[in-house]
Amino acid sequence: MPRRDIEFKTSDHVTLRGWLFTPRKSGSKLPCLIMSHGWTALKEMDLDTFAEYFTSHLAIACLVYDNRGFGASDAAPNAPRFEILPELQRSDYSDAITYAQSLEEIDGDKIGIWGSSYSGGHVLFVGAVDRRVKAILSQVPLTDGWANFHRLIRPDFVAGMESAFLADRAARAQGKDAAMIPVVDADPTKPSSLPTPDSYAFFAAWEKKSDWKNEVTVKSVELLRANDPSHMIHRISPTPLLMTIAQNDVLTPTDIALDAYTRAREPKQLHIIPGGHFDGYSGPNFEKNAGRQAQFLKETLCAGGEAALPIR
């Protein structure tokens, strides 16, 4: 599918970069799906595969971008790279919508948002407060940072993490660089932000074939614990929601995500896929996962007119 490089400015003047995917043929303005990745991940880490799937099966555009401070996108002046500020990442979704609405080929009244893992939580919040959003796809989302943090971090390790948070705050106040922590480690008992074997397998594989870096600021982990993106989930309605949950997710645990889904109001749809957190990105689950998401888009964002018709 045709793809071109794009960049846009956020409301705080940070340049974010990514791609715009479009179908090979379209005779009218296109609905647009805004997509960004989860915790430290880059757009090259399977988001292009999803965008290509959607644009090859529907008359839809996909705007895919790297989060601030990661990949091709800039960080704010004087801010460290590899830092995840959930409030700003959510704001960046809304700025991406504004940019998409400015594009000649986009129907500005038909904007959807897609997020996975950490950004799967972001879209629940953005979809509730930004009424320009007409469809929400939340894949294996982090829905409750406090519960998720305490599920991932062993109780006897929590005090050490708390000490790291406080030390980082003190060091920053003295003008020192932000403290860093590995995203993953082969040994789940060593400090890392995602201490699960499947996280290590996924990111270690991508480290060998992309520009992904195995580091994130300690502050990002502290803010993850405080991040509760699903507290507005009951306010998404009447915007349609599709939540995709993995049956055996140990990274954003299945039961925590299901609890959030029960608090969403209609119209909503739940798709449970086999396997763990990363099994919907590629491999045997991809076609089933992406196909279900494409069907949801056809029924909602692309309903009516040319956009509702598969184009191959």
Side-chain angles (χ1 to χ4, degrees):
M1 293 295 104
R3 184 186 89 184
R4 74 172 190 261
D5 293 341
I6 57 96
E7 64 177 53
F8 61 95
K9 293 280 190 183
T10 65
S11 54
D12 59 341
H13 311 295
V14 177
T15 299
L16 305 186
R17 298 180 180 88
W19 301 314
L20 182 70
F21 293 80
T22 55
R24 293 193 186 281
K25 296 180 181 179
S26 176
S28 60
K29 287 182 176 289
L30 296 165
C32 185
L33 186 65
I34 310 295
M35 308 175 68
S36 72
H37 222 317
W39 186 261
T40 78
L42 310 181
K43 63 186 184 301
E44 291 83 1
M45 297 164 70
D46 294 321
L47 291 200
D48 51 345
T49 310
F50 278 93
E52 288 169 356
Y53 186 94
F54 297 147
T55 55
S56 66
H57 287 75
L58 295 166
I60 190 172
C62 292
L63 193 157
V64 182
Y65 66 93
D66 279 324
N67 288 306
R68 61 172 63 211
F70 291 89
S73 290
D74 292 347
N78 303 316
R81 289 188 67 80
F82 313 119
E83 179 146 276
I84 302 171
L85 306 177
E87 183 176 354
L88 289 180
Q89 287 194 348
R90 293 192 290 263
S91 178
D92 293 343
Y93 262 102
S94 289
D95 291 334
I97 293 171
T98 301
Y99 171 70
Q101 289 180 317
S102 74
L103 299 176
E104 184 178 355
E105 61 263 65
I106 301 303
D107 183 343
D109 293 326
K110 292 186 176 181
I111 302 291
I113 52 177
W114 183 104
S116 189
S117 194
Y118 209 50
S119 66
H122 294 341
V123 297
L124 299 175
F125 183 91
V126 175
V129 301
D130 191 330
R131 304 318 297 187
R132 296 175 297 174
V133 174
K134 299 302 189 292
I136 301 159
L137 294 87
S138 174
Q139 176 174 284
V140 293
L142 181 143
T143 59
D144 181 336
W146 185 271
N148 215 118
F149 175 89
H150 287 282
R151 193 73 65 87
L152 284 177
I153 307 300
R154 277 175 37 178
D156 54 329
F157 289 176
V158 170
M161 291 296 295
E162 189 70 45
S163 295
F165 298 158
L166 297 178
D168 177 57
R169 285 182 173 272
R172 289 187 186 222
Q174 297 171 12
K176 296 179 181 179
D177 290 342
M180 309 298 288
I181 187 173
V183 178
V184 293
D185 193 285
D187 183 350
T189 67
K190 292 183 178 179
S192 70
S193 67
L194 304 179
T196 69
D198 60 342
S199 297
Y200 177 76
F202 177 81
F203 284 105
W206 276 105
E207 187 175 24
K208 297 174 182 177
K209 56 185 179 181
S210 74
D211 291 331
W212 180 81
K213 306 297 183 187
N214 188 20
E215 57 182 341
V216 67
T217 65
V218 167
K219 182 177 181 179
S220 300
V221 183
E222 183 181 16
L223 293 177
L224 179 152
R225 185 178 63 172
N227 183 28
D228 186 11
S230 69
H231 77 279
M232 297 284 279
I233 196 169
H234 62 293
R235 302 194 187 282
I236 289 174
S237 179
T239 305
L241 166 67
L242 171 65
M243 187 179 289
T244 303
I245 297 175
Q247 190 170 11
N248 299 301
D249 197 326
V250 297
L251 182 59
T252 55
T254 306
D255 62 305
I256 299 176
L258 285 171
D259 179 71
Y261 180 78
T262 65
R263 291 183 276 115
R265 296 171 177 167
E266 298 291 346
K268 62 179 181 178
Q269 298 179 28
L270 176 66
H271 184 212
I272 298 179
I273 59 175
H277 185 83
F278 299 97
D279 290 330
Y281 288 107
S282 60
N285 275 348
F286 174 77
E287 186 75 25
K288 179 179 180 181
N289 183 29
R292 181 66 189 84
Q293 293 179 11
Q295 181 63 32
F296 174 78
L297 289 168
K298 180 179 178 180
E299 295 168 357
T300 56
L301 195 63
C302 301
E306 175 190 2
L309 302 174
I311 57 176
R312 78 168 195 184

